[in-house]
Amino acid sequence: MGIEQRRHPRREVVGRVEVFDTIAEQTVGVLGDVSAGGLLLIASSPLPDDALFQLRFSLADEGRPLPTIEVGAHVLWQAPAGAPGQYYVGMRFIGLAPEVARLLENWSQK
């Protein structure tokens, strides 16, 4: 197995956490994993390449809900997932507020 080369450790999301596009006002998928630098989205359709999104989602820490997170995100890559009609979409966060960056950094390191 290879050595992890990411700048930020990522944490798999347990359960179903929906990701909402605040501009289109619709759900775009569910979270696969999250780090302080980005996320893996499991989408039900491909997203435009190199697109920018304003996303909102909620995480829990040891069963306790955390404040709702709103982030700008940039599509880096995407590929068909194992299930028909699903796509993995890798996104990086852009323009994170310092408090959101701290919250994600703390959450992803647990």
Side-chain angles (χ1 to χ4, degrees), residues 9-12 60-62 64 66 103-110:
R10 57 186 167 162
R11 180 174 166 189
E12 188 175 333
D61 191 18
E62 297 178 6
R64 294 185 314 271
L66 297 174
L103 185 145
L104 289 169
E105 187 74 36
N106 291 337
W107 184 85
S108 63
Q109 290 184 1
K110 291 186 178 185

Side-chain angles (χ1 to χ4, degrees), residues 24-37:
E25 297 183 346
Q26 65 184 19
T27 299
V28 292
V30 295
L31 287 177
D33 65 41
V34 178
S35 76

Side-chain angles (χ1 to χ4, degrees), residues 17-31 33-34 37-43 47-48 51-58 67-76 89-96 100 104:
V17 176
E18 292 190 355
V19 179
F20 188 75
D21 177 345
T22 63
I23 295 171
E25 297 183 346
Q26 65 184 19
T27 299
V28 292
V30 295
L31 287 177
D33 65 41
V34 178
L39 61 83
L40 174 68
L41 179 72
I42 303 168
L47 300 179
L52 300 175
F53 288 87
Q54 189 66 31
L55 303 175
R56 181 174 58 228
F57 56 90
S58 298
T68 299
I69 296 170
E70 290 202 28
V71 296
H74 174 223
V75 174
L76 297 175
V89 182
M91 305 178 93
R92 73 177 174 97
F93 296 138
I94 53 176
L96 279 183
V100 174
L104 289 169

